[in-house]
Amino acid sequence: MITINEKKCSGCGICKSACLFGAIEVRDKKAVVSEACTGCGACAEKCPCKAIEIPETNVGKAEDFDTYKDVWAVLEMDLSRGQLKKVSLELLSEARRLADLSGQKVGAVLLADEMPKGFEENLSYVGCDYAHVVLDEQLKRYHTLDFSNCVVRMVEKYKPAVVLFPATENGRDLAPRVSCALQTGLTADCTALDMDEKGNLVQIRPTYGGNIMASIITPNHRPQLASVRPNVLSIEQAGQKDKPMIFLESGMFTHEEKDCRLLKVSGRENVFQDVAESSVVVVAGYGVGSKENFEKVKRLALKMNAAIGATRKVVDEGWAPFEVQVGQTGKTIAPDVYISFGVSGALQHTIGMQKAKFKIAVNNDPAAAIFKMCDAAILGDAGEIADALLQEIS
Amino acid sequence: MNIIVCVKQVPDTNEVKIDQKTNNLVREGVPGILNPYDQNCVELALRLREQAGGKVTVVSMGPGQAKEAVQYCLDMGADEGILLSDRAVGGSDTLATGYILSRLIGSRDYDLVMCGNEAIDGCTGQVGPIIAGNLGLKQFTYVTDAKIKDGKLLVQREVGKDLELYEASLPAVICVQKDINQPRKPVCSGREVTVINAEGLGLDADRIGNHGSPTRVVKIRMSDARVKSFFTVDDTLPWEERIRFIINGGIESKGKVDLWRGSAGELAGRIAGCPEVSRFLEDVR
């Protein structure tokens, strides 16, 4: 937390209003900090007396700090298709942009049982410079220890400055384990990335239910680790580039996951169409008003061959399962067409759908925030219009 | 069997409001709740204890107020509750928090360590795996069910459309998904939370608190669209436009967006008639 230099503090209270967390009070004409302080430093920027000190990380830079370079992405396989998941290319494309900002190269890390289909073409499309590939039968399915040890060894050998992870289930299992082994910082589920002039990766993520956007850096540790969810970044074709160099690594992998056996893998029952992968998504918000109306919207989605999505409140009410939740908690979607019924447009939800290409919103409140960001704003009752649309289609 | 459950008190983020005047998060009167994921996690821990016998210990880290969350777990049925509350650990990021909790857990007997898969305030899901890393244990995240069979852990993970079933030896760390069970209601247990400070945990001062956290928040801002729109009518507009603007709730001023009105049938027809929509409806019909 911050400290107040009482000699400099004039008790003006500007810091109190700058604090987003209500952690500062003015007592006897001096600012006093409570334990609600997160050390974010928003107050220090505003203090006219320069009386606020943010504790600097005293943990100094490692001796080899400057030897870390290049922007890496850890790739993930789509086992059913034998090729890279789309999120892998999203990460590489972003890595290209970050590398261009800072004069670095783009590297990919792949652990798999065999070369993915179209690997070189895909890497070349997004402008990846090189890839370190470890192939082993045991690497077909993800295992925490095996994968994390392997990634850690490669990072220690080649020293990248940045490593991006997909914020999928397995990526979010892997990244913190790597962070712990390397004793470096990790930021989960970034919604935007940037490079500052010192070569720090600026990691932007929402927090407190999307009310606050925090910019986070890892100033004294390398590599800098960040994860990004599928559908958050876009894939851009890179300019003229040489073919990527592919290094087949050996000696990086040893099977270490002992006393742990995968007994079986089964498909889940009653699986919904994956809301994050579907090109048409119909979302129900709390404004549908009842479980019955939610079911109606769900029928409509089925009829349209679209995926059903729901806002957090609908899931909290128990009308829909968590797996279809769209938003900061839940999935991020980028469908071609998004149609919402009774969605007000709270940030927690819109963070997860703003990349949708064509957005239609039905709501009975003309001042609903969702109307400000959609392409067609439809004023009316969600249930009635869902009914009418069901009739229209059948 | 000794089960240690790590929990966190979080602000009920559904309730977080912004003070329009000061632009602050309104904290007063915002209820602190036991992280919903942790409620499911404690429930699963209690069921495992019922099945395999043993003891459930709940640990947490946070300000004094977080005692409430640990008390909630005791009242659900946990045997012991410990809150680590110390300014020295304030401002810790996930790496530091995972380290501190792993030291606390490591100072006790454990067979199974359990965490909620993530907390609803930060939503990182990092602390559980970092604890596992520090203790050198195997981990399972996105867990939807767990049982003890012949002294081994049977654990189910939900990954996309797949359910993975593992058999693993103990000790291990599992991170539990939300809504996998119905958490029991707390009843007054008479047990009390033990509040401790960081002394005696043998913490490395360079790995805790703000000072020992590799990540640093450099800027914080309110998200853009958070302010509920109060529209004012531009009085330079002719009166017809001003009326239209008011009737449409200010929507037309945004240029791009049309506000469509009419009967449900007309509106449904217009949705289906949008070129973007009709294109794929062709395939469906």
Side-chain angles (χ1 to χ4, degrees):
Chain A
M1 58 190 261
I2 58 157
T3 49
I4 310 278
N5 183 332
E6 290 200 1
K7 282 185 191 144
K8 291 186 185 169
C9 177
S10 68
C12 67
I14 289 174
C15 52
K16 185 180 170 197
S17 49
C19 178
L20 298 172
F21 300 97
I24 305 182
E25 274 180 60
V26 180
R27 267 184 242 145
D28 300 333
K29 298 196 173 158
K30 296 288 169 203
V32 182
V33 189
S34 82
E35 60 184 5
C37 175
T38 64
C40 73
C43 52
E45 266 174 45
K46 299 269 168 68
C47 177
C49 313
K50 308 237 176 307
I52 297 175
E53 284 152 23
I54 313 166
E56 259 305 309
T57 316
N58 301 333
V59 179
K61 293 179 181 179
E63 270 174 34
D64 61 353
F65 183 89
D66 294 319
T67 62
Y68 285 83
K69 49 173 169 299
D70 292 0
V71 183
W72 279 18
V74 174
L75 309 183
E76 191 166 311
M77 287 289 288
D78 180 341
L79 288 179
S80 61
R81 296 200 184 117
Q83 62 189 40
L84 293 176
K85 277 192 180 165
K86 195 168 133 248
V87 64
S88 304
L89 300 179
E90 292 169 2
L91 292 178
L92 280 174
S93 202
E94 180 70 3
R96 180 74 264 160
R97 196 182 65 82
L98 295 168
D100 287 341
L101 285 174
S102 50
Q104 302 184 80
K105 285 187 169 163
V106 175
V109 174
L110 176 70
L111 315 181
D113 60 332
E114 56 183 19
M115 273 297 194
K117 281 181 232 157
F119 187 56
E120 224 172 291
E121 293 77 11
N122 280 333
L123 260 50
S124 176
Y125 183 85
V126 290
C128 176
D129 296 300
Y130 60 87
H132 295 290
V133 180
V134 183
L135 295 181
D136 192 292
E137 247 174 54
Q138 309 252 32
L139 292 171
K140 184 178 172 86
R141 288 197 79 91
Y142 172 79
H143 281 279
T144 309
L145 266 186
D146 289 353
F147 271 59
S148 61
N149 284 338
C150 204
V151 170
V152 167
R153 284 193 196 108
M154 284 205 267
V155 167
E156 284 173 341
K157 182 166 178 195
Y158 298 108
K159 298 184 191 279
V162 173
V163 185
L164 306 180
F165 293 86
T168 54
E169 286 93 345
N170 289 338
R172 292 174 105 234
D173 186 278
L174 170 68
R177 209 58 200 227
V178 173
S179 153
C180 183
L182 296 168
Q183 288 294 304
T184 185
L186 163 65
T187 306
D189 296 0
C190 298
T191 52
L193 296 168
D194 205 352
M195 281 280 179
D196 74 8
E197 65 287 352
K198 289 181 190 147
N200 289 315
L201 180 70
V202 182
Q203 305 152 98
I204 300 164
R205 79 183 301 268
T207 183
Y208 287 99
N211 286 302
I212 288 179
M213 300 298 285
S215 299
I216 298 165
I217 61 169
T218 304
N220 294 334
H221 296 69
R222 291 293 181 267
Q224 309 157 85
L225 313 178
S227 72
V228 188
R229 283 204 219 166
N231 290 327
V232 168
L233 303 166
S234 44
I235 300 173
E236 310 284 343
Q237 182 168 15
Q240 200 65 41
K241 284 275 169 201
D242 295 332
K243 270 194 164 184
M245 308 233 273
I246 297 187
F247 304 103
L248 276 178
E249 299 288 329
S250 57
M252 290 287 178
F253 172 71
T254 47
H255 181 53
E256 281 153 276
E257 193 96 85
K258 301 267 161 59
D259 303 322
C260 174
R261 275 194 309 138
L262 178 61
L263 300 181
K264 73 169 183 195
V265 180
S266 47
R268 273 178 24 236
E269 285 170 26
N270 305 323
V271 197
F272 285 78
Q273 191 175 335
D274 190 347
V275 67
E277 298 281 324
S278 186
S279 59
V280 184
V281 175
V282 177
V283 174
Y286 191 58
V288 297
S290 66
K291 167 113 176 133
E292 281 153 32
N293 275 347
F294 171 76
E295 290 297 325
K296 208 181 282 170
V297 176
K298 196 170 103 185
R299 275 205 301 284
L300 178 66
L302 266 176
K303 199 110 203 174
M304 291 170 85
N305 203 14
I308 179 79
T311 59
R312 179 163 77 190
K313 240 180 151 188
V314 168
V315 173
D316 285 350
E317 283 295 318
W319 300 344
F322 179 61
E323 67 175 288
V324 302
Q325 186 169 320
V326 173
Q328 190 206 356
T329 40
K331 296 199 166 129
T332 302
I333 62 172
D336 294 335
V337 181
Y338 163 99
I339 308 175
S340 75
F341 290 88
V343 170
S344 64
L347 270 163
Q348 138 60 38
H349 176 66
T350 56
I351 283 170
M353 51 64 72
Q354 56 203 4
K355 288 233 164 174
K357 290 194 191 84
F358 190 79
K359 307 180 195 77
I360 303 174
V362 179
N363 201 300
N364 59 8
D365 174 9
I370 190 91
F371 283 162
K372 297 244 155 99
M373 58 180 303
C374 66
D375 300 282
I378 291 163
L379 190 67
D381 181 82
E384 284 174 21
I385 294 177
D387 260 336
L389 199 52
L390 263 171
Q391 276 189 357
E392 172 82 25
I393 292 170
S394 36
Chain B
M1 191 172 70
N2 288 305
I3 302 174
I4 298 187
V5 186
C6 307
V7 302
K8 183 180 187 186
Q9 186 181 50
V10 295
D12 191 342
T13 44
N14 281 321
E15 300 287 324
V16 171
K17 296 277 184 308
I18 311 292
D19 184 322
Q20 300 286 348
K21 275 191 202 139
T22 62
N23 225 15
N24 284 6
L25 284 176
V26 179
R27 284 276 183 120
E28 273 165 37
V30 175
I33 55 166
L34 175 63
N35 178 35
Y37 286 79
D38 299 348
Q39 299 182 16
N40 296 112
C41 185
V42 170
E43 176 61 35
L44 183 59
L46 295 174
R47 289 183 192 184
L48 286 171
R49 183 188 65 187
E50 281 153 18
Q51 189 213 332
K55 182 180 168 192
V56 172
T57 305
V58 170
V59 300
S60 187
M61 185 174 123
Q65 193 203 344
K67 235 174 117 170
E68 296 162 14
V70 182
Q71 187 65 51
Y72 189 95
C73 303
L74 286 175
D75 293 348
M76 277 178 76
D79 300 284
E80 192 184 351
I82 302 166
L83 173 68
L84 169 60
S85 197
D86 196 319
R87 283 200 162 200
V89 300
S92 292
D93 69 1
T94 55
L95 188 69
T97 303
Y99 164 68
I100 296 159
L101 286 172
S102 72
R103 294 292 302 183
L104 175 55
I105 294 162
S107 70
R108 311 181 66 87
D109 290 330
Y110 61 87
D111 301 295
L112 181 63
V113 178
M114 300 173 66
C115 305
N117 203 63
E118 60 186 63
I120 60 163
D121 56 350
C123 302
T124 71
Q126 285 168 194
V127 171
I130 289 169
I131 290 171
N134 277 306
L135 294 172
L137 299 180
K138 55 178 88 67
Q139 77 188 35
F140 301 92
T141 52
Y142 296 89
V143 166
T144 52
D145 199 11
K147 287 191 179 63
I148 303 293
K149 196 182 155 197
D150 304 330
K152 289 205 165 186
L153 174 71
L154 276 180
V155 62
Q156 179 178 273
R157 269 189 98 207
E158 188 176 298
V159 182
K161 290 191 166 96
D162 288 343
L163 284 178
E164 300 175 345
L165 182 66
Y166 289 92
E167 181 192 71
S169 62
L170 293 170
V173 176
I174 63 175
C175 304
V176 176
Q177 263 294 28
K178 205 168 77 160
D179 295 342
I180 59 158
N181 52 31
Q182 184 68 47
R184 64 196 71 183
K185 291 279 167 261
V187 283
C188 184
S189 64
R191 287 184 288 276
E192 281 185 21
V193 180
T194 314
V195 182
I196 60 167
N197 59 25
E199 263 172 62
L201 292 178
L203 297 175
D204 177 347
D206 282 344
R207 291 176 69 183
I208 64 171
N210 243 318
H211 156 82
S213 295
T215 59
R216 193 139 299 264
V217 176
V218 282
K219 203 167 87 187
I220 230 169
R221 65 174 170 81
M222 286 296 171
S223 297
D224 308 326
R226 102 206 120 75
V227 183
K228 179 115 184 165
S229 52
F230 294 102
F231 69 91
T232 46
V233 182
D234 180 354
D235 59 11
T236 60
L237 292 172
W239 71 270
E240 300 93 328
E241 280 192 37
R242 266 185 276 168
I243 297 290
R244 209 153 51 90
F245 186 68
I246 292 166
I247 291 171
N248 283 349
I251 294 299
E252 285 200 340
S253 67
K254 297 289 161 191
K256 186 178 145 214
V257 184
D258 285 332
L259 191 65
W260 295 352
R261 293 160 182 277
S263 70
E266 283 163 21
L267 291 171
R270 289 192 70 175
I271 296 175
C274 264
E276 286 80 2
V277 178
S278 62
R279 201 178 307 142
F280 80 83
L281 281 182
E282 299 276 302
D283 305 335
V284 181
R285 278 172 174 159

